[in-house]
């Protein structure tokens, strides 16, 4: 099938797959797209108007429907409406900035930023930058101590029989688990690089397919993380469609050929901003392809006795206790309503802290809350 696809067909199929993945995830996590829910909505700017019932449902419904229409009609204005509406909805509630939504809409941006009469080879090369960045930067961002510690711990739990054989899928030697842990970032970064060269491109595709297939299997085996399954399947289909029969004259064609303002804009999102994040911390981590890198901070919020009694019942339902002190696991709370993890930027947890403290008689009182990073304990 892929041997006879034109550049236009490749772009069109990848566009449809990107939208289908978003639609599936919207069905999976419908409350993420409305503001009438128990989990607080956290806008990027306080002055942004937050739609309330029934406007939030109308916007979410329109967002869903226009994507369906866009699949079949494929009008450029429809693509831009989807992009602008997503931008607004994500600014209103930053928890919508999940990696799978971001990749899909960056793919749509790479397509719709070009006029319709553009040579589709130019468009395809822009889309390719998104997929190159996804694998290259996701690997590079895993070069951190937290990833090594948490990844090796997970491998030992499921693939080592040294401590216990009851939880192991298969038994692998410790030296292999340790070596594989340190190799993972380089393996994943190399997947993006292998896609650049004619001689290695199919190896890159096969590596990517294997990685996503293993991840999907493990998600079902472990019984959680189903929200990333459509994303894995989306990428499996997309890389085959784009890269399997692709031929280029130079590995750098994707970066320098057809250079114009549209290509520059995509390079900013796929090279410039991720590079700035890696070296300086500027720009959000998840928007810099910082996917499953283990070094992002996830919080428990401990509350004192006064605030424990003052918080609404729908929040108290999520209390957990440690040494007799109540706390909220923010991810557990977020997943109940939003079906996604809490967006892991420091400004987000600070905003949530302000929201929780607002229920106290004196929100400025010291000691009302304590923010504790729980996913790096023991490192």
């Amino acid at each position: 099938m892929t041997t006879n696809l034109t550049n236009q067909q490749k772009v069109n199929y990848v566009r449809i797959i990107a939208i289908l993945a978003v639609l599936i995830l919207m069905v999976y996590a419908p409350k993420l797209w409305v503001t009438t829910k128990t989990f607080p909505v956290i806008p990027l700017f306080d002055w942004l108007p937050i739609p309330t019932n029934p406007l939030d449902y109308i916007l979410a419904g329109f967002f869903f429907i226009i994507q369906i229409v866009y699949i079949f009609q494929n009008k450029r204005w429809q693509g831009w409406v989807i992009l602008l509406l997503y931008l607004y909805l994500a600014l209103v509630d930053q928890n919508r900035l999940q990696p799978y939504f971001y990749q899909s809409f960056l793919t749509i941006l790479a397509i719709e930023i070009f006029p319709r009469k553009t040579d589709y080879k130019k468009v395809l090369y822009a889309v390719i930058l998104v997929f190159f960045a996804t694998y290259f930067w996701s690997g590079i961002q895993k070069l951190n101590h937290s990833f090594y510690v948490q990844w090796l711990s997970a491998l030992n739990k499921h693939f080592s029989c040294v401590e216990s054989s009851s939880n192991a899928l298969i038994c692998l030697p410790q030296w292999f688990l340790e070596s594989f842990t340190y190799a993972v970032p380089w393996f994943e970064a190399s997947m993006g690089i292998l896609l650049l060269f004619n001689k290695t491109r199919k190896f890159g595709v096969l590596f990517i397919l294997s990685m996503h297939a293993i991840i999907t299997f493990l998600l079902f085996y472990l019984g959680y993380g189903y929200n990333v399954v459509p994303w894995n399947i989306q990428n499996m289909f997309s890389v085959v469609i784009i890269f399997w029969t692709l031929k280029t004259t130079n590995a750098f064609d994707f970066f320098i050929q057809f250079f114009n303002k549209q290509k520059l804009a995509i390079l900013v999102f796929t090279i410039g901003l991720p590079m700035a994040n890696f070296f300086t911390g500027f720009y959000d981590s998840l928007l810099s392809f910082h996917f499953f890198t283990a070094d992002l901070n996830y919080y428990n919020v401990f509350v004192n006795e006064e605030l424990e009694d003052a918080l609404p019942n729908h929040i108290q339902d999520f209390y957990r206790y440690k040494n007799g002190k109540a706390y909220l696991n923010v991810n557990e709370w977020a997943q109940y309503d939003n079906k996604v993890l809490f967006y892991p930027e420091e400004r987000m947890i600070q905003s949530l802290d302000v929201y929780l403290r607002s229920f106290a008689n004196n929100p400025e009182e010291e000691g009302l809350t304590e923010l504790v990073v729980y996913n790096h304990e023991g490192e």
Side-chain angles (χ1 to χ4, degrees), residues 348-361:
M348 292 287 289
I349 193 63
Q350 295 299 331
S351 295
L352 183 64
D353 184 49
V354 170
Y355 171 78
L356 293 172
R357 295 168 67 95
S358 70
F359 291 97
N361 291 328

Side-chain angles (χ1 to χ4, degrees), residues 134-233:
T134 296
Y135 297 105
F136 177 76
W137 285 114
S138 183
I140 294 298
Q141 303 279 24
K142 288 182 174 66
L143 295 170
N144 65 79
H145 177 69
S146 294
F147 175 81
Y148 298 135
V149 171
Q150 294 188 34
W151 184 269
L152 182 58
S153 175
L155 289 181
N156 281 331
K157 181 178 180 180
H158 298 290
F159 297 99
S160 173
C161 296
V162 174
E163 297 181 3
S164 171
S165 61
S166 59
N167 293 325
L169 277 167
I170 56 174
C171 296
L172 297 173
Q174 190 65 23
W175 67 264
F176 176 83
L177 296 177
E178 293 179 4
S179 300
F180 184 67
T181 295
Y182 284 95
V184 164
W186 301 106
F187 278 144
E188 191 167 357
S190 69
M191 292 176 188
I193 296 173
L194 290 174
L195 295 175
L196 301 178
F197 300 88
N198 285 336
K199 292 183 178 180
T200 60
R201 192 165 292 134
K202 288 187 177 181
F203 290 107
V205 171
L206 292 174
F207 276 134
I208 290 169
L209 292 177
S210 300
M211 178 184 72
H212 286 302
I214 292 170
I215 291 172
T216 301
F217 167 76
L218 289 175
L219 290 173
F220 281 106
Y221 174 80
L222 298 173
Y224 59 82
Y226 298 130
N227 57 315
V228 299
V229 170
W231 184 31
N232 280 274
I233 295 173

Side-chain angles (χ1 to χ4, degrees), residues 15 17 38 67 161 168 172 180 184 230 267 314 321 359 364:
R15 174 188 67 86
I17 292 169
T38 59
Q67 289 181 84
C161 296
L172 297 173
F180 184 67
V184 164
L267 283 170
H314 67 264
Y321 293 87
F359 291 97
E364 302 302 321

